[in-house]
Amino acid sequence: MELQVQLKALADKINQLKDKIETEESTKHAFVLPFINILGYDTFNPTEVVPEFTADLGLKKGEKVDYAIIQNDEPILIIECKNWKEKLSVHGSQLFRYFHVSKTRFAMLTNGIQYQFFTDLDEKNKMDDKPFFEFDITNLKDSAVNEIAKFHKSNFDVDKILDNASSLKFTKEIRKQIDTEIAKPSPEFVRLFASKIYSGRLTEKVIEEFTELVQKAFGQLIGEKINERLHFALNKEVIIQEKDQIEEVEQTKVVTSEEELEAYRIVVAILRRKLPTNRIVYRDTQSYFGILLDDNNRKPLCRLHLNGSKKYIGLFNDNKAETRQTIETIDDIYQFEKELLETVGLYEDVY
């Protein structure tokens, strides 16, 4: 959530300032460096973010790429920047040359608004022609935020990003093809459906008639799916509101014990290694003492059951299902330090 908030703040800043930004240098300082900071890298540390990184190109020595992010004395991401008014498509060949002579597996091309990430899926040590991930920071989707988080300093893992890069790349291309076919169905696409439901000969006239029918059918299907999602979302919101109202009524009957507060402080002491303490919030109910991320009851960190004859700590797995573990005293909570820290990783928007 914090990452999403930071990206939104930068997007708002870009919309306010872009008409006053005239040069590439201004674009770097106003838009690109703040983005690198959001990823957790210190732009004031020349051993971590190197400006004007030298990339020798064969006989052509001293060529420089705008920035390189360094980890363990090796570049993990090289960045080429352009003026925010320029289109990125015409600049890929320059970054391609830099990539070839560096040891990085990732390259980023940006004008401070559009961002394109490249790797070498097609041929090792040779940058792909097309990015595997791209986004517009002023029109950012939740799925893009999750992918950006993988490049955060605290998450960066070359193998994990590479494993996901192929899926991202091909999914993006498939979506483009689907968009094209829905907007203007090709004869091959129309024939695929017509051959399944039309028993006659697929003449040019039949294909022409089915082209309109296929386009109409997809339009109706998409419209219905959107309406279903909206209906589901509205009903879900009503249910959540009703549940919250019930919890508020029940909350008036709850008395929080000193033992529960002390147990909460133990959990905070464990989780503060990964979370700011202000993001670890408790909600006491009649049936359990819940500890949540960002005060969100859909992001439980653990539950404490301390009021019965036996005491339990409730831990959550990947499916967010609770498993109770018996504890003799609240000091036993320290035994579950590993499980508690792993629970934080269930939420992709933590950083």
Side-chain angles (χ1 to χ4, degrees), residues 189-202:
F189 190 69
V190 174
R191 191 179 296 275
L192 172 67
F193 294 97
S195 62
K196 295 179 181 296
I197 57 179
Y198 184 76
S199 58
R201 183 166 169 264
L202 296 177

Side-chain angles (χ1 to χ4, degrees), residues 3 22 31 75 99 120 162 169 263 270-271 283 288 341:
L3 176 62
E22 299 293 338
F31 300 161
F99 187 95
D120 54 354
L162 286 173
K169 179 180 178 179
I270 293 171
L271 295 181
R283 286 194 198 178
Y288 60 84
L341 291 172

Side-chain angles (χ1 to χ4, degrees), residues 13-245:
K13 176 185 174 183
I14 289 171
N15 285 325
Q16 292 171 7
L17 294 181
K18 65 181 182 180
D19 291 334
K20 300 176 183 178
I21 301 296
E22 299 293 338
T23 66
E24 181 180 307
E25 283 301 311
S26 296
T27 299
K28 291 179 189 177
H29 287 91
F31 300 161
V32 180
L33 286 177
F35 176 77
I36 296 173
N37 274 323
I38 288 173
L39 291 181
Y41 301 101
D42 184 359
T43 54
F44 294 102
N45 182 350
T47 66
E48 187 165 284
V49 179
V50 181
E52 298 296 311
F53 181 72
T54 301
D56 291 335
L57 303 174
L59 297 176
K60 200 171 183 181
K61 302 294 183 180
E63 289 294 310
K64 299 180 186 297
V65 65
D66 289 312
Y67 300 104
I69 295 177
I70 305 297
Q71 191 177 84
N72 299 324
D73 297 323
E74 296 290 349
I76 59 171
L77 176 66
I78 58 173
I79 303 169
E80 181 66 14
C81 308
K82 299 301 172 185
N83 189 307
W84 74 269
K85 297 178 183 179
E86 294 187 54
K87 293 183 178 180
L88 297 183
S89 57
V90 298
H91 298 295
S93 60
Q94 186 176 8
L95 193 60
F96 180 94
R97 297 196 305 273
Y98 293 144
F99 187 95
H100 182 65
V101 296
S102 73
K103 295 182 180 180
T104 184
R105 297 298 300 277
F106 303 105
M108 184 177 83
L109 178 63
T110 181
N111 60 8
I113 298 177
Q114 280 84 36
Y115 286 78
Q116 295 180 345
F117 288 79
F118 298 83
T119 188
D120 54 354
L121 293 174
D122 297 333
E123 186 177 342
K124 194 170 182 180
N125 297 327
K126 182 178 179 182
M127 193 180 89
D128 298 337
D129 293 332
K130 295 181 180 180
F132 68 89
F133 172 50
E134 57 187 315
F135 63 89
D136 182 326
I137 197 169
T138 61
N139 185 26
L140 206 55
K141 296 178 174 58
D142 290 345
S143 58
V145 175
N146 291 335
E147 296 305 324
I148 294 169
K150 293 181 174 67
F151 284 90
H152 193 279
K153 181 179 178 180
S154 60
N155 297 330
F156 191 90
D157 185 307
V158 173
D159 294 331
K160 287 183 180 179
I161 298 175
L162 286 173
D163 288 344
N164 193 46
S166 179
S167 175
L168 282 174
K169 179 180 178 179
F170 291 119
T171 299
K172 181 184 69 173
E173 293 303 318
I174 291 170
R175 289 184 59 169
K176 284 183 179 179
Q177 291 299 317
I178 292 173
D179 284 342
T180 300
E181 293 291 359
I182 290 175
K184 189 178 179 180
S186 65
E188 295 79 11
F189 190 69
V190 174
R191 191 179 296 275
L192 172 67
F193 294 97
S195 62
K196 295 179 181 296
I197 57 179
Y198 184 76
S199 58
R201 183 166 169 264
L202 296 177
T203 63
E204 186 175 337
K205 183 178 180 181
V206 171
I207 293 296
E208 185 177 338
E209 292 175 353
F210 266 90
T211 297
E212 183 178 347
L213 293 173
V214 168
Q215 195 169 21
K216 183 178 180 180
F218 266 94
Q220 290 175 347
L221 180 63
I222 292 170
E224 289 171 2
K225 290 294 182 184
I226 291 173
N227 286 334
E228 285 177 7
R229 293 288 295 272
L230 288 173
H231 182 69
F232 174 78
L234 289 172
N235 283 344
K236 185 176 180 181
E237 186 64 30
V238 169
I239 292 171
I240 290 172
Q241 289 176 356
E242 290 176 348
K243 184 178 178 181
D244 288 345
Q245 289 172 357

